[in-house]
Amino acid sequence: MKIRALTICMLLAFPGVCHPQVRPRVSQPSAPPAYMQQLKSFDQVGSVTKVVLKNDLTILVAEAHATPLVEVLTWVKTGTKDDPAGLTGLSAVMERMLLRGTATRSPATLAIDVKTMGGELSSFTSYENTSLRIVAPAPQWKKALEIHADALLNPLLDSAELKRQIEQIQGEAKRQLAEPEALVHARLLATGFAGARLKRVLPLSADALSNVTRDNLLAFYKSAYTPGRVLLLVCGDVIASDVLTAAVDLYAGAKSVPVPENRAPGGETAPGLRYEQIHGDGRMARVVLGFRAASAASADYPALEMLRAILATGEGSVLNRRLKHQKGIIYNVAADLAAYSDCGYLSLRMDLDPKNFDRCEIAAFTEFEILKRLDPELGELERARAQLKREFWEVNQTVSGRGERLARLESLESWKSINTYLTRLGQVKWADVARVAARYLNLDNCAVIEYLPAQAEERNVRAATIKDTIQELLAPATKQEMDEREKLTVPALDVPEESGSFTPADVRNPFQTASILRGPELFIREDHTMPLLHLGFFFQGGKLTESKANAGITSVLLRSMLRDGKNKSAEQIYRQLEVYGAELTAVIEDDYFGINLAILSPYVEQGLDLLSEMIKSPKFDPQEIEHQKALQILALRNRSEGELARRRLLGALFYDHSYALDPNGSEESLAGITPEAVQAWFKSNVADKKPMVVMIGDTQGTSLAGYFVRNFSGSRFQDIALPEGFAKAVEKKEVIESGWGMSASSMMMGFQAPPEEDDDSFPLLVLQSYAAGLGGRVTGQIQDRVRSAFDVCFEYEPRLRGGSVTVRLSAVPADEDHAWTVLLDELMRLTSASIQYRDYRAAMNSAVAAVQFRQQNRSDQIADVIKSVLAGKGIQGFQEYVSRLQEVKQADLQEAAKRVFKIEKSVALRLHGKPLP
């Protein structure tokens, strides 16, 4: 698994929730159960139970009954900081080997066991922790628990498998550092934390692990994987007493040994600005400003979270408003606050034109300086706090999000700190923000990384040059900016009174339909597990109605709509929305387009008023349209090699259909899109057209229907007529070969497949589960037969007017021909070899569970409803989706494979890699 720094962002309030009409099932045994004899301590607060065994292993059980899923998470307090001297990366190897066989399970058996119960298995290593996770249907919690115990307590550590895993990790390390995102992050840590512990977060070098043996791996396991370092967490639709009985039986016999401290030396870095310039294969320039910051336990941490949100969370944030929209210096900005038990850092990533490096860096430090000096604009603190509150609750959507937060907090201090997070956030004042800005956002605490595309001219600068330049220009730039702002009239914001604390209710009702005469049909799901409403507001068509000549016009239209209303500026709209905790996301799919809105539930109608203004009365300023076109051209030029390859394959598969088009269009099509064309597209696709609306969250029945009666109904609202033409069938095999810039070779095959409403779509979904993922037939066989194979993927994508199945894999160039032969062999085997009943059942369980996993996320649930409506199945099709899936018979899989996997009517793409030196 890829080593990654894990951000301590929001802390999760963790309510116990249950199915509608069912009381919370928090276990309260009337008599001490037998497992109590094995405990050192027992603590139960609300829906969370914590026990510590006599061997010092900790168990947390968090009951959450709203979703029929469970996460079993083994969280080991051992990470890259614990790697022994001379054995950097040993913790990552150990993580991988936990999944590569036990005394009773081979790697294949372990994978099949997880797939059979419909589970997903994953692992990762971070600076401080290593984890193993299974998410599965709730009835399978005991099986998941047994697999975890077997993997943790009885790893095989086979020497041959160890050699293979080391080779794979070394290959991944090479490829990782070829990716711009990973390269920039690695250089930030290496440059900004030279000599400090956080260098242990760096990706491995290509020659790492060369001296790892089974003996030193076993020694590391015995010292670092002791019960005192292990936290077992079970989160989901379970009963704590049942889980504890089983867990104590499995883990109480583990031998307790002293827990050694093995921390990397050096936690401090000498003050002084650090700078590095790097060139890479990415097409967009980037500057990253990194600041050494406080640990997660520091009193500064809540104020640092507020600072992060003020600077870069939301379109109304300081850097988005000033540097992106007002000055046009940057294209995008993002911020991360990584906080560990002993250190942390705040990083700001800004994409830009290479000619704007100096302007960007000076402008950013000017904004930092103003934060330290001026009182905030009205509502700025409330805006940031509301954004953090929404982020805080949104983690509650998935059992894995909940579980990981609990485990992280318990490993840092105590899971109970979740109960005080919002209170501590509410206590942060502007003086606290200004104080931490002054303490951390300064030149002597900063690392500057400039990433330039390979073809860009090198900048002849050094750390001292940057520091001297910013110091010289900062005072006059700050004065000029402050003088200009004094002349501005800032529109007043509505800052609502604090809505009070929210008590989650145990209600997640089925969808209701509210039909509006001469208006949209609303699909509403009442769900009081979070104080949020998620709303999807969509129109049919869009990209489906585009042609090669105007490709990308839907994206230009939608993004221009979301920038300016006729009565309020985009800045005013976004700042006000974000005071309500709102986030707007543009959605452009093959068959529909529109907006996802997430908002704190007390302010839904106020948010809808602002959203309606954008939709009903867009300004369509010609300059804004040109700006959006320029951003889309930039996005086209900045596509990854993988995305370019995927678009190339789909372009050949759907050659004369709109599904072949990129959502952003092409540079040629965008050049011909005028403001008049955008306005005409608005009239034909949005104005007075019935929208499709899906709402999920903290609302009362169909109470919001009245809003849409008032604003989106009447005789003028019409349905949209979609093109009837399906994608033209591929008549003969096409093979496309070329080189590309990546070190590995990539092979892809594409097949046209049934559309969304076709009966064959369900067998293909089960077949996808049979072929793909951990324990999948195609992915497993390819990885077994091709030693260097990675990134093996099998994906079925149904659309309204035709679907696709794409299969891809990557391998080192030396293995390319062999990998291609194996790929063809395995695809043909799907059509000829019978599928065993056990494999069929495993695929069925996995396919059903995949639907449940996906629909934890409300935006995905909204998308699934919209697709069902577009396919003519309505909300009933969404509600019956799993039962339709379960109707698929064993014989249906091979029959569907025969109809789809016709090599003579496929598109193949072979991209020949360049071996790394």
Side-chain angles (χ1 to χ4, degrees), residues 509-516 519-527 533-538 540 690-697 699-705 708 858 861-879:
N509 291 330
F511 273 100
Q512 300 180 67
T513 302
S515 297
I516 297 174
E521 195 169 31
L522 309 180
F523 305 99
I524 304 169
R525 185 169 198 173
E526 190 174 339
D527 179 347
L533 183 81
H534 289 77
L535 179 143
F537 193 102
F538 300 111
Q540 299 180 57
K690 291 181 183 178
M692 300 176 290
V693 182
V694 183
M695 291 178 275
I696 304 174
T699 185
Q700 298 296 323
T702 59
S703 60
L704 284 172
F708 293 91
R858 288 180 176 180
Q861 201 176 143
I862 288 170
D864 288 349
V865 171
I866 292 297
K867 290 176 183 178
S868 182
V869 171
L870 284 172
K873 302 173 185 177
I875 195 64
Q876 185 176 0
F878 170 83
Q879 293 168 333

Side-chain angles (χ1 to χ4, degrees), residues 545-554 661 665-666 669-670 672-673 677 681:
T545 60
E546 292 179 357
S547 67
K548 189 175 181 180
N550 69 354
I553 192 171
T554 302
L661 305 174
S666 66
S669 65
L670 289 170
I673 294 174
W681 200 251

Side-chain angles (χ1 to χ4, degrees), residues 544-597:
L544 181 61
T545 60
E546 292 179 357
S547 67
K548 189 175 181 180
N550 69 354
I553 192 171
T554 302
S555 183
V556 175
L557 164 71
L558 183 57
R559 298 182 194 284
S560 298
M561 283 171 57
L562 296 181
R563 285 311 308 160
D564 276 302
K566 286 186 176 178
N567 300 316
K568 295 184 179 70
S569 69
E571 178 178 314
Q572 186 179 1
I573 291 173
Y574 275 103
R575 291 189 70 219
Q576 184 63 71
L577 277 169
E578 289 169 11
V579 168
Y580 300 144
E583 179 184 47
L584 286 181
T585 306
V587 177
I588 302 168
E589 296 291 342
D590 286 316
D591 302 311
Y592 65 95
F593 70 100
I595 299 154
N596 275 329
L597 168 70

